[in-house]
Amino acid sequence: MFRCLAAALRALALLVALALPALPVLSGAALAHEGHDHGADAPQAPAATAPRAEAVSERFELVAVVQGTDLVLYLDAFATNAPVPEAGVAVMTPEGRRKAAETAPGTYRLAAPWLAAGTDHDLVVGVSAEGRTDLLDLDLHLPAPTAGPSASGAAASATALADRLARQSPAALAAGGFLMGLGAFALALRRRAGQSLAVILAVLLAVGATLVLALFLGGAAQAHEGHGPDQTQPPVTPAALTGGTLMERARRLPDGSVFVPKSLQRLLALRTGLTAQASVTRSVALPGRIIPDPNASGVVQSSVGGRLAPPERGFPRLGTRVTRGEVLATVTPPVQAVDVSDMRQRQGELDQQIAILERRVGRFERLSTTGAVAQTQLDDARSELSGLRDRRAALDAIRREPESLVAPVDGVIAEANAVAGAMAAPGTVVYRIVDPGKLWVEALSFEALAEGSRATARLGDGGTLQLAYRGTGLADRNQAVPVQFAVEGEAKGLRLGQFVTVLAPVGPARPGLPVARSGVVRAEGGSLVYEHVSAERFLGRPVRVAPLDADRMLVEDGIAAGRRVVVQGAELLDQIR
């Protein structure tokens, strides 16, 4: 029994002796290919980025990125982060002064074959723009070349063995180990029954050998998945690490900041602004709506009921510009049967009186020549006859001529309710005319506003309007006082009744930090702004803000003056994970 046990232990020792030299190689290969991190000499970058360097001056911010044998320079304005196009960019290189060519607005490229000559390069870049030249120093570090793994002696033999084993299928190797265990088990059965302990040990050794081979050899195969067994790892050089155009991506770093390559900043159109202390007045948000200017708008109504009819050119459509006094529609009042009978009777009476007066005027004209009738009698008869004729003509006009509806002001048709043949009641609004260049905003305020104060209005789509104070009502409306403002400047796209948010100043002025409203991002538990701490890194700063106007927010705490904060693209920046 002891001899069998010793033989089993010797077999296990031989297996371990063969597996241990290969274990560091196999496990090292697996670890090296986890994320493809090849050793400690790999460049320490927040993401898969090419070697880069950055520099700043009073006016510019410069980032240099190595792409193959070229050096790409991204030139932006320091304060706004906007690309600087059409600038003169010259680099002092080991080969002398070289001028970079502009390939896109703010992007310049320079052939740099001298990058392969070393790993550390101190460059001086001269940027000429707007009649001034800035000098920026770049300290560019490339990854040092590293050789592939080498082995000698027993380690080389173990590596060769591991390489041969790695070429085999893990399932076949596991099956082979299991068959070896079965062979040991069969030999043990040939012994006498008293050697049951050796049998058990042999079974355990077989199972253990199978698991060890499947684990290490299978792991090696998985670690090299995607790499053929005949592929060899060449020495890693700076040129190999920087060759080609690398697809760089943004990433949120462990310290909470966000790394955004310059190439991606151009796509996101990130813009910044410098915070500065200013004297501002607190604003209050009021609900409001667009109303027409009462001096530049009007309605077209029918004074009498009747049937609508179009004018000669037809009914004007919505959006049509009309002038004051232009006929927009006609209303023909209906005549009832009783009214027709009364009118005919009255017409008959008038016709009879007109006939009598005509004969009288004729007789007076003949007698006046002889002096039998005074001239005054003839004039009175003529005046009475003229009056009767006018009354008769007016009675006929009532039956024939409709009422003309004319435009009271110059403007645009904003509302139309005209339909040919429709019956309009007295006071019906047929048209509403508005001058789109003269609109007002009516807001409801719960606080007293100073007369002559200026305000701003924010639209639903993010647009803003400048408002001028026009007046405050004295009658409460839902426990609030109506306040009216006139829209200043361009008022395109506005419509009557459109809801807006009016930001009106209240209280005295106080110092604060105004920032663009688009730069404030809503976060869990409050608000934050993104500070541009370096050329390609942004850090979120929690802040306490209050509304200032339609375009700005007042930062009360959380950031100091003189910091660069993102004013455009902050929402996109906040989505980076």
Side-chain angles (χ1 to χ4, degrees):
M1 179 182 69
F2 290 103
R3 287 195 300 270
C4 292
L5 179 59
L9 291 176
R10 286 195 297 271
L12 178 60
L14 178 60
L15 178 62
V16 172
L18 292 175
L20 284 179
L23 177 59
V25 178
L26 298 178
S27 60
L31 292 175
H33 284 75
E34 181 68 26
H36 297 274
D37 182 11
H38 294 274
D41 293 332
Q44 300 296 324
T49 57
R52 60 190 60 237
E54 61 184 61
V56 296
S57 68
E58 183 181 352
R59 296 191 300 160
F60 303 118
E61 184 175 61
L62 181 67
V63 175
V65 181
V66 178
Q67 291 185 1
T69 58
D70 292 344
L71 191 65
V72 179
L73 303 171
Y74 297 96
L75 183 63
D76 294 334
F78 177 78
T80 63
N81 200 48
V84 179
E86 301 179 358
V89 179
V91 183
M92 290 300 299
T93 70
E95 298 179 353
R97 184 176 181 273
R98 296 290 185 269
K99 187 175 182 180
E102 186 174 11
T103 59
T107 304
Y108 303 84
R109 182 177 290 269
L110 173 69
W114 39 266
L115 289 173
T119 58
D120 295 331
H121 301 276
D122 295 331
L123 307 176
V124 178
V125 182
V127 179
S128 300
E130 299 178 356
R132 294 173 52 188
T133 301
D134 291 16
L135 297 180
L136 299 95
D137 296 330
L138 290 175
D139 191 7
L140 182 61
H141 296 282
L142 300 181
T146 57
S150 60
S152 61
S157 301
T159 303
L161 175 62
D163 184 66
R164 287 194 299 270
L165 292 177
R167 298 173 186 268
Q168 308 299 325
S169 172
L173 294 173
F178 186 70
L179 292 177
M180 291 173 60
L182 288 181
F185 179 69
L187 291 175
L189 287 180
R190 297 180 60 183
R191 306 294 182 180
R192 55 183 180 270
Q195 295 179 341
S196 59
L197 179 59
V199 173
I200 295 174
L201 289 176
V203 173
L204 293 177
L205 287 174
V207 174
T210 303
L211 294 177
V212 169
L213 290 173
L215 176 62
F216 292 118
L217 298 179
Q222 291 175 3
H224 286 75
E225 184 175 352
H227 297 269
D230 293 333
Q231 293 178 351
T232 59
Q233 298 295 332
V236 181
T237 62
L241 286 175
T242 61
T245 301
L246 190 62
M247 290 298 295
E248 299 177 321
R249 66 181 183 89
R251 179 181 175 184
R252 190 170 292 273
L253 303 181
D255 61 354
S257 61
V258 181
F259 172 79
V260 184
K262 275 295 181 183
S263 57
L264 188 57
Q265 291 183 33
R266 303 292 174 82
L267 296 178
L268 299 180
L270 297 182
R271 298 293 181 265
T272 60
L274 289 173
T275 57
Q277 198 80 9
S279 179
V280 296
T281 304
R282 184 179 68 89
S283 298
V284 60
L286 308 175
R289 62 187 181 91
I290 303 295
I291 63 173
D293 184 347
N295 299 317
S297 63
V299 295
V300 178
Q301 294 178 297
S302 173
S303 59
V304 296
R307 192 176 302 279
L308 291 175
E312 295 180 0
R313 293 182 297 178
F315 291 124
R317 64 182 185 279
L318 289 174
T320 303
R321 182 167 290 276
V322 297
T323 58
R324 182 176 182 178
E326 182 179 346
V327 177
L328 307 180
T330 59
V331 178
T332 303
V335 180
Q336 303 295 332
V338 176
D339 297 334
V340 172
S341 176
D342 293 342
M343 292 175 63
R344 288 179 178 175
Q345 181 180 356
R346 186 61 180 163
Q347 286 175 348
E349 294 176 355
L350 290 175
D351 291 341
Q352 183 179 1
Q353 294 177 6
I354 290 173
I356 295 173
L357 281 175
E358 286 178 347
R359 289 193 298 271
R360 183 182 303 175
V361 168
R363 188 168 57 251
F364 285 173
E365 289 176 349
R366 290 192 301 270
L367 294 176
S368 63
T369 57
T370 62
V373 176
Q375 184 65 31
T376 56
Q377 290 181 333
L378 177 60
D379 294 339
D380 291 342
R382 288 176 177 175
S383 298
E384 187 176 359
L385 177 60
S386 177
L388 290 175
R389 287 175 177 173
D390 291 341
R391 291 170 60 185
R392 181 66 175 83
L395 192 62
D396 292 337
I398 292 177
R399 298 185 57 185
R400 295 193 306 266
E401 295 183 3
E403 178 188 9
S404 297
L405 304 181
V406 298
V409 294
D410 297 338
V412 173
I413 301 294
E415 180 182 347
N417 300 311
V419 178
M423 294 297 296
T428 300
V429 176
V430 182
Y431 290 103
R432 185 182 299 274
I433 303 173
V434 175
D435 187 348
K438 298 179 181 180
L439 296 176
W440 284 17
V441 173
E442 184 180 72
L444 297 179
S445 175
F446 296 92
E447 300 184 41
L449 302 181
E451 292 188 9
S453 60
R454 303 183 66 85
T456 57
R458 187 171 69 250
L459 305 178
D461 58 357
T464 60
L465 301 173
Q466 297 298 322
L467 306 179
Y469 177 83
R470 285 294 180 265
T472 303
L474 299 179
D476 283 352
R477 187 184 302 174
N478 298 327
Q479 302 300 319
V481 176
V483 184
Q484 293 182 343
F485 302 89
V487 177
E488 294 185 335
E490 198 72 22
K492 290 184 178 180
L494 299 180
R495 61 185 185 276
L496 298 182
Q498 181 178 355
F499 291 104
V500 297
T501 300
V502 177
L503 295 164
V506 293
R510 57 175 178 172
L513 289 177
V515 298
R517 184 178 290 269
S518 58
V520 180
V521 180
R522 294 185 179 272
E524 295 182 0
S527 303
L528 59 86
V529 297
Y530 278 93
E531 180 184 356
H532 196 184
V533 294
S534 65
E536 298 180 312
R537 196 164 68 91
F538 301 83
L539 182 61
R541 302 283 190 187
V543 293
R544 185 173 73 252
V545 297
L548 184 56
D549 54 36
D551 297 320
R552 300 177 299 170
M553 300 285 286
L554 179 64
V555 177
E556 298 177 339
D557 189 19
I559 195 169
R563 303 294 183 89
R564 291 188 299 169
V565 297
V566 177
V567 297
Q568 178 179 316
E571 292 287 349
L572 299 175
L573 197 61
D574 190 58
Q575 301 300 319
I576 297 176
R577 295 294 182 265

